[in-house]
Amino acid sequence: MSDDYAHGRRDGLRLALAILAAEEAKWSALLGESRSWRTNATRETRHKALQVAQKRVQTVLNRLIPDNATGMNSELASALAKIGL
């Protein structure tokens, strides 16, 4: 895999993480706000699904870190810091 292609994949995954983080923040603010138990249950389910998706994307991103890197890549660390992970 070329370096440009790998860098593009990592950028795409970082973008996905940022989008998921924004959606999770939106749903976490709405948890328990409705009088309807069904609405609250739906919101909790969506919030949990977003958390699981974030974890899965994070796992894929971690797998794309080059094997020769001993610690966390500075590029990866700065991107994760931006989105709050």
Side-chain angles (χ1 to χ4, degrees):
M1 201 173 353
S2 72
D3 288 338
D4 289 337
Y5 180 76
H7 184 72
R9 284 182 71 186
R10 290 190 302 267
D11 284 346
L13 288 171
R14 285 189 200 99
L15 177 62
L17 274 174
I19 291 168
L20 288 170
E23 283 294 310
E24 183 195 4
K26 178 180 90 172
W27 286 106
S28 66
L30 296 174
L31 291 178
E33 292 292 318
S34 178
R35 287 189 229 166
S36 169
W37 68 269
R38 285 187 181 150
T39 301
N40 287 331
T42 301
R43 288 176 179 172
E44 288 175 19
T45 303
R46 286 180 181 165
H47 183 254
K48 184 63 179 176
L50 288 168
Q51 287 176 333
V52 169
Q54 275 184 323
K55 199 64 159 165
R56 288 182 179 173
V57 171
Q58 180 65 48
T59 300
V60 170
L61 188 56
N62 287 340
R63 288 181 182 165
L64 289 177
I65 296 173
D67 290 337
N68 59 1
T70 56
M72 183 181 281
N73 189 346
S74 63
E75 173 189 345
L76 176 63
S78 66
L80 293 177
K82 282 183 185 177
I83 60 171
L85 292 176

